[in-house]
């Protein structure tokens, strides 16, 4: 289907200070992309794009219907899976043990804190989308949450950029950049246009989410964090349109499986190749939804397997902990005692028994804040991402 390409325009380059190579220091002109206004444009997927789009809607609806209500812990699990994979695309990867420490409030690495912030930003965007229109204030709030752990990003946290940015190339200038977004003075108007597009209710849902994401990445409205907020925007559109009510489709794992293809298709969108990107996201949605169903079944089977291993006494602290591990797979001693409703001695005996059986793993030995995690639940995060990656790469063969 016809879609406008992004014209390129030459602009003067006047940096605040001259740094870098001689070519950087003498750069006087740059070529910037000017995304078109899309608020009033229509899109109707046809042919194979339309068929894949319909298959994606069915796959998400099936995931939501079969597991959204029946397996309450799946919602948090998928939120974490999506945020962790989205962070990995940006080379932020702490590993699930370090991530678990951050979730429980323990001493954690910068990458783990950043991954947890991505979870919080995604939650904020999806919850806001479930209650009303997507707004600029909502995006800025989510961006503030995302960038909170980064001391050096404090100035630009939760605000649209007021400087020219670029992707790739030099650290000092847009020379040899792979993409140069629009000048900062155009960003507010372009974001208002994009939000008007995302709040429409007369567009095919997956296509709307795909186009909104590609347009957001083209505007690149923040100095940092554009990829993670832009991918969270997909989930927000799906929630806004009512396609999802509890689950989050872990689409970032599709993109993580082949980042080169993902970025190439974003570039294609800027050349007017909208069908290719919509079809890519639609096919990815099918893969992600079907793999998420497999993870949901695996999670649902865990409590029975745990009970078979431990064979807890009725109404014991062991039994109580096992019954809440899906809901609370990461916790500290205070949380464990609150969950069991028993004293320190009974709680620690239960924790010791579950740890010895391999159901729990100690993530932090700190005496002040010891942290445990349900190994099977956190390992399933990696298993889900890997399963989506296999489905994605197998489809391309």
């Amino acid at each position: 289907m016809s879609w406008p390409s992004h014209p390129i325009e030459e602009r003067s380059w006047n940096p605040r200070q001259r740094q870098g190579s001689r070519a950087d220091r003498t750069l006087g002109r740059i070529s910037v992309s000017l995304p078109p206004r899309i608020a009033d444009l229509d899109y109707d997927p046809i042919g194979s794009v339309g068929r894949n789009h319909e298959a994606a809607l069915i796959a998400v609806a099936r995931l939501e219907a079969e597991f959204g209500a029946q397996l309450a812990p799946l919602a948090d699990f998928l939120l974490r899976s999506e945020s962790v994979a989205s962070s990995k695309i940006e080379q932020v990867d702490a590993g699930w043990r370090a991530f678990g420490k951050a979730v429980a409030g323990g001493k954690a690495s910068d990458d783990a804190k950043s991954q947890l912030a991505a979870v919080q930003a995604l939650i904020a965007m999806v919850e806001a989308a479930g209650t009303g229109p997507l707004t600029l204030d909502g995006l800025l709030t989510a961006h503030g949450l995302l960038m909170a752990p980064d001391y050096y990003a404090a100035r630009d946290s939760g605000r649209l950029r007021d400087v020219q940015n670029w992707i790739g190339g030099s650290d000092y200038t847009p020379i040899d950049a792979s993409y140069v977004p629009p000048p900062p003075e155009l960003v507010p108007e372009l974001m208002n246009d994009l939000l008007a597009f995302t709040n429409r209710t007369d567009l095919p849902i997956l296509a709307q989410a795909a186009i909104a994401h590609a347009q957001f990445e083209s505007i690149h409205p923040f100095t940092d964090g554009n990829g993670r907020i832009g991918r969270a925007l997909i989930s927000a559109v799906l929630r806004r349109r009512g396609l999802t009510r509890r689950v989050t489709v872990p689409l970032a794992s599709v993109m993580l499986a082949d980042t080169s293809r993902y970025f190439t298709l974003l570039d294609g969108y800027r050349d007017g190749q909208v069908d290719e990107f919509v079809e890519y996201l639609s096919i990815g949605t099918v893969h992600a939804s079907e793999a998420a169903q497999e993870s949901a079944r695996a999670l649902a089977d865990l409590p029975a397997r745990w009970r078979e291993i431990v064979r807890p006494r009725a109404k014991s602290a062991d039994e109580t902990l096992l019954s809440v591990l899906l809901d609370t797979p990461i916790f500290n001693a205070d949380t464990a005692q609150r969950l069991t409703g028993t004293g320190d001695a009974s709680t620690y005996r239960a924790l010791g028994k579950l740890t010895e059986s391999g159901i729990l793993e100690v993530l932090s030995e700190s005496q002040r804040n010891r942290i445990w995690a349900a190994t099977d639940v956190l390992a399933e995060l990696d298993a889900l991402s890997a399963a989506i990656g296999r489905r994605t790469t197998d489809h391309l063969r």
Side-chain angles (χ1 to χ4, degrees):
M1 183 174 178
S2 176
W3 194 261
S5 60
H6 298 199
I8 303 297
E9 184 176 290
E10 274 209 355
R11 295 286 182 105
S12 61
W13 172 251
N14 298 302
R16 294 171 183 170
Q17 52 185 329
R18 301 284 178 178
Q19 292 179 292
S21 66
R22 184 176 184 280
D24 285 312
R25 296 192 303 273
T26 58
L27 184 66
R29 306 283 292 177
I30 61 174
S31 298
V32 299
S33 178
L34 301 178
R37 276 51 173 178
I38 65 170
D40 298 323
L41 297 183
D42 291 322
Y43 179 81
D44 185 20
I46 59 174
S48 67
V49 183
R51 291 190 294 274
N52 283 308
H53 188 279
E54 183 178 3
L57 297 180
I58 293 170
V60 177
R62 183 176 293 123
L63 174 64
E64 182 75 50
E66 292 187 14
F67 296 102
Q70 292 88 342
L71 189 62
L74 183 64
D76 285 342
F77 176 83
L78 291 177
L79 278 166
R80 288 172 180 166
S81 176
E82 174 66 5
S83 300
V84 167
S86 187
S87 296
K88 287 181 179 179
I89 294 173
E90 308 301 327
Q91 309 302 313
V92 177
D93 182 11
W96 61 258
R97 288 176 177 84
F99 175 65
K101 291 180 187 180
V103 170
K107 186 176 181 180
S109 65
D110 289 343
D111 276 4
K113 292 176 183 176
S114 182
Q115 286 183 316
L116 179 59
V119 175
Q120 294 165 339
L122 176 58
I123 290 172
M125 288 182 63
V126 170
E127 288 185 347
T131 60
L134 295 167
T135 66
L136 181 58
D137 284 344
L139 289 178
L140 297 180
T141 296
H143 185 256
L145 291 170
L146 176 67
M147 304 310 298
D150 188 343
Y151 171 81
Y152 297 100
R155 173 191 174 273
D156 301 313
S157 175
R159 56 183 286 183
L160 298 177
R161 62 180 168 90
D162 56 6
V163 296
Q164 180 65 60
N165 56 359
W166 60 91
I167 300 172
S170 168
D171 289 337
Y172 304 102
T173 72
I175 195 169
D176 297 326
S178 59
Y179 178 68
V180 184
E185 64 269 18
L186 299 182
V187 170
E189 180 187 347
L190 286 167
M191 286 302 295
N192 287 336
D193 176 82
L194 171 59
L195 287 165
F197 177 85
T198 61
N199 285 315
R200 286 172 57 180
T201 58
D202 61 337
L203 292 164
I205 300 174
L206 252 301
Q208 183 180 27
I211 293 169
H213 170 64
Q215 185 77 358
F216 180 95
E217 298 305 329
S218 299
I219 298 169
H220 236 61
F222 302 121
T223 55
D224 194 12
N226 292 285
R228 285 164 289 179
I229 295 296
R231 287 183 287 275
L233 182 60
I234 297 173
S235 298
V237 171
L238 301 187
R239 185 61 55 89
R240 165 72 178 150
R241 293 296 306 276
L243 181 60
T244 63
R245 297 185 182 278
R246 296 177 181 86
V247 304
T248 301
V249 182
L251 276 163
S253 290
V254 173
M255 301 162 184
L256 180 63
D258 190 344
T259 55
S260 294
R261 183 165 182 259
Y262 165 49
F263 293 133
T264 296
L265 288 166
L266 280 176
D267 286 337
Y269 168 81
R270 294 163 191 146
D271 291 332
Q273 298 168 22
V274 67
D275 285 340
E276 289 82 351
F277 194 74
V278 171
E279 187 164 33
Y280 164 75
L281 196 74
S282 298
I283 294 171
T285 297
V286 173
H287 295 325
S289 297
E290 290 179 348
Q293 288 188 60
E294 293 176 2
S295 280
R297 294 186 187 99
L299 292 173
D301 290 341
L302 287 177
R305 188 167 74 81
W306 292 334
R307 285 192 294 271
E308 183 66 24
I309 294 171
V310 176
R311 296 186 179 279
R313 290 182 294 104
K315 299 182 180 179
S316 65
D318 310 7
E319 183 183 60
T320 303
L321 275 178
L322 289 178
S323 69
V324 298
L325 280 185
L326 282 187
D327 288 291
T328 313
I330 307 164
F331 54 87
N332 57 23
D334 289 341
T335 301
Q337 190 169 339
R338 177 176 56 80
L339 292 171
T340 61
T342 62
D344 285 348
S346 295
T347 299
Y348 274 99
R349 277 197 298 271
L351 289 169
K353 186 175 181 180
L354 268 57
T355 302
E356 289 174 8
S357 68
I359 292 170
L360 293 181
E361 178 176 331
V362 179
L363 300 184
S364 173
E365 294 281 4
S366 169
Q367 292 300 312
R368 295 183 60 186
N369 190 20
R370 204 173 186 192
I371 296 169
W372 291 262
T375 307
D376 293 330
V377 177
L378 295 194
E380 188 61 34
L381 286 172
D382 286 340
L384 172 59
S385 185
I388 295 172
R390 285 193 300 273
R391 288 171 177 269
T392 301
T393 54
D394 288 348
H395 175 81
L396 295 175
R397 289 174 183 165

